[in-house]
Coordinates of all heavy atoms in Angstrom, one line a residue:
E108 N -37.6 19.0 43.7 CA -38.2 18.7 42.4 C -37.7 17.4 41.7 O -38.5 16.7 41.1 CB -37.8 19.9 41.4 CG -38.5 19.8 40.1 CD -38.1 20.9 39.1 OE1 -36.9 21.5 39.3 OE2 -38.8 21.3 38.2
A109 N -36.4 17.1 41.9 CA -35.8 15.9 41.4 C -36.5 14.7 42.0 O -36.8 13.7 41.3 CB -34.3 15.9 41.5
L110 N -36.7 14.7 43.3 CA -37.3 13.6 44.0 C -38.7 13.4 43.6 O -39.2 12.3 43.4 CB -37.2 13.8 45.5 CG -35.8 13.7 46.1 CD1 -35.8 14.1 47.6 CD2 -35.3 12.3 46.0
A111 N -39.4 14.6 43.4 CA -40.8 14.5 43.0 C -40.9 13.9 41.6 O -41.8 13.1 41.3 CB -41.5 15.9 43.0
A112 N -40.0 14.4 40.7 CA -40.1 13.8 39.3 C -39.8 12.3 39.3 O -40.5 11.6 38.5 CB -39.0 14.6 38.5
Y113 N -38.9 11.9 40.1 CA -38.6 10.5 40.2 C -39.8 9.6 40.6 O -40.1 8.7 39.9 CB -37.4 10.2 41.1 CG -37.2 8.8 41.4 CD1 -36.5 7.9 40.5 CD2 -37.6 8.2 42.6 CE1 -36.3 6.6 40.8 CE2 -37.4 6.8 42.9 CZ -36.8 6.0 42.0 OH -36.6 4.7 42.3
F114 N -40.4 10.0 41.7 CA -41.6 9.2 42.2 C -42.8 9.4 41.2 O -43.5 8.3 41.0 CB -41.9 9.7 43.6 CG -40.9 9.2 44.6 CD1 -40.1 10.1 45.3 CD2 -40.8 7.9 44.9 CE1 -39.2 9.7 46.2 CE2 -39.9 7.5 45.9 CZ -39.1 8.4 46.5
L115 N -43.0 10.5 40.7 CA -44.2 10.7 39.8 C -44.0 10.1 38.5 O -45.0 9.9 37.7 CB -44.5 12.2 39.7 CG -45.0 12.9 41.0 CD1 -45.2 14.4 40.8 CD2 -46.4 12.3 41.4
A116 N -42.8 9.8 38.1 CA -42.6 9.2 36.8 C -42.6 7.7 36.8 O -42.4 7.0 35.7 CB -41.2 9.7 36.2
Q117 N -42.8 7.1 38.0 CA -42.6 5.6 38.0 C -43.6 4.9 37.2 O -43.3 3.9 36.5 CB -42.8 5.2 39.5 CG -41.6 5.5 40.4 CD -40.3 5.1 39.8 OE1 -40.1 3.9 39.6 NE2 -39.4 6.0 39.6
S118 N -44.9 5.3 37.1 CA -45.9 4.7 36.3 C -45.5 4.8 34.8 O -45.6 3.8 34.0 CB -47.3 5.2 36.5 OG -47.3 6.6 36.1
S119 N -45.0 5.9 34.4 CA -44.6 6.1 33.0 C -43.4 5.2 32.7 O -43.3 4.7 31.6 CB -44.2 7.6 32.7 OG -45.3 8.4 32.8
I120 N -42.5 5.1 33.6 CA -41.3 4.2 33.4 C -41.7 2.8 33.3 O -41.2 2.0 32.4 CB -40.3 4.4 34.6 CG1 -39.7 5.8 34.6 CG2 -39.2 3.3 34.6 CD1 -38.9 6.1 35.9
S121 N -42.7 2.4 34.1 CA -43.2 1.0 33.9 C -43.8 0.8 32.6 O -43.6 -0.3 32.0 CB -44.3 0.8 35.0 OG -43.7 0.8 36.3
E122 N -44.6 1.7 32.0 CA -45.1 1.6 30.7 C -44.0 1.5 29.6 O -44.1 0.7 28.7 CB -46.0 2.8 30.4 CG -47.3 2.8 31.2 CD -48.1 4.1 30.9 OE1 -47.8 4.8 30.0 OE2 -49.1 4.3 31.6
V123 N -43.0 2.3 29.8 CA -41.9 2.3 28.8 C -41.2 0.9 28.9 O -40.9 0.3 27.8 CB -40.8 3.4 29.2 CG1 -39.5 3.1 28.4 CG2 -41.4 4.7 28.8
R124 N -41.0 0.3 30.1 CA -40.4 -1.0 30.2 C -41.2 -2.1 29.6 O -40.7 -3.1 29.2 CB -40.0 -1.2 31.6 CG -38.9 -0.4 32.2 CD -38.6 -0.6 33.6 NE -37.3 -0.1 34.0 CZ -36.8 -0.1 35.3 NH1 -37.6 -0.5 36.3 NH2 -35.6 0.3 35.5
L125 N -42.5 -1.9 29.6 CA -43.4 -2.9 29.1 C -43.6 -2.9 27.6 O -44.1 -3.8 26.9 CB -44.8 -2.8 29.7 CG -44.9 -3.2 31.2 CD1 -46.2 -2.9 31.8 CD2 -44.5 -4.7 31.4
N126 N -43.1 -1.8 27.0 CA -43.1 -1.6 25.5 C -42.2 -2.6 24.9 O -41.0 -2.6 25.1 CB -42.7 -0.1 25.2 CG -43.1 0.2 23.7 OD1 -43.3 -0.7 22.9 ND2 -43.1 1.5 23.4
D127 N -42.8 -3.5 24.1 CA -42.1 -4.6 23.5 C -41.6 -4.3 22.1 O -41.1 -5.1 21.4 CB -42.9 -5.8 23.4 CG -44.2 -5.7 22.6 OD1 -44.4 -4.6 22.1 OD2 -44.9 -6.7 22.5
N128 N -41.7 -3.0 21.6 CA -41.2 -2.7 20.3 C -39.6 -2.7 20.3 O -39.0 -2.6 21.4 CB -41.7 -1.3 19.7 CG -41.1 -0.1 20.5 OD1 -39.9 0.0 20.6 ND2 -42.0 0.7 20.9
T129 N -39.0 -2.9 19.2 CA -37.6 -3.0 19.1 C -37.0 -1.7 18.5 O -35.8 -1.7 18.0 CB -37.2 -4.2 18.3 OG1 -37.8 -4.1 17.0 CG2 -37.6 -5.5 19.0
I130 N -37.7 -0.6 18.5 CA -37.2 0.6 17.9 C -36.0 1.1 18.7 O -35.9 1.1 19.9 CB -38.3 1.7 18.0 CG1 -39.5 1.4 17.2 CG2 -37.7 3.1 17.5 CD1 -40.6 2.3 17.3
D131 N -34.9 1.4 18.0 CA -33.6 1.9 18.5 C -33.0 0.9 19.5 O -32.3 1.3 20.4 CB -33.9 3.2 19.2 CG -34.0 4.4 18.2 OD1 -33.7 4.2 17.0 OD2 -34.5 5.5 18.6
N132 N -33.2 -0.4 19.3 CA -32.6 -1.4 20.2 C -31.1 -1.5 19.8 O -30.4 -2.2 20.5 CB -33.3 -2.7 20.1 CG -34.3 -2.9 21.1 OD1 -34.7 -1.9 21.9 ND2 -34.9 -4.1 21.2
D133 N -30.7 -0.8 18.8 CA -29.3 -0.8 18.5 C -28.6 0.5 19.0 O -27.5 0.9 18.7 CB -29.0 -0.8 17.0 CG -29.7 0.4 16.2 OD1 -30.6 1.0 16.9 OD2 -29.4 0.6 15.1
L134 N -29.3 1.2 19.9 CA -28.8 2.4 20.5 C -27.6 2.1 21.4 O -27.7 1.3 22.3 CB -29.9 3.1 21.4 CG -29.6 4.5 21.9 CD1 -29.5 5.5 20.8 CD2 -30.7 4.9 22.9
T135 N -26.5 2.8 21.1 CA -25.3 2.6 21.9 C -24.9 3.9 22.5 O -25.4 5.0 22.2 CB -24.1 2.1 21.0 OG1 -23.9 3.2 20.0 CG2 -24.5 0.8 20.2
Y136 N -24.0 3.8 23.5 CA -23.5 5.0 24.1 C -22.8 5.9 23.1 O -22.8 7.2 23.3 CB -22.5 4.7 25.3 CG -23.2 4.0 26.5 CD1 -22.8 2.7 26.9 CD2 -24.3 4.6 27.1 CE1 -23.5 2.1 27.9 CE2 -24.9 4.0 28.2 CZ -24.5 2.7 28.6 OH -25.2 2.1 29.6
N137 N -22.2 5.3 22.1 CA -21.6 6.1 21.1 C -22.6 6.9 20.3 O -22.4 8.1 20.0 CB -20.8 5.2 20.1 CG -20.0 6.0 19.1 OD1 -19.3 7.0 19.4 ND2 -20.1 5.6 17.9

């Protein structure tokens, strides 16, 4: 299931990475 989720989410991940908004760009590990 984990492998399937990883491969099937690639297009969604690409869309997220192309999102140029700056919402929560101050998000820290803390």
Side-chain angles (χ1 to χ4, degrees):
E108 184 183 28
L110 291 172
Y113 170 76
F114 287 111
L115 291 174
Q117 290 306 303
S118 62
S119 295
I120 292 170
S121 297
E122 291 178 8
V123 166
R124 286 177 162 174
L125 290 173
N126 192 342
D127 60 359
N128 70 52
T129 58
I130 297 175
D131 285 346
N132 269 7
D133 60 343
L134 187 68
T135 63
Y136 292 122
N137 185 46

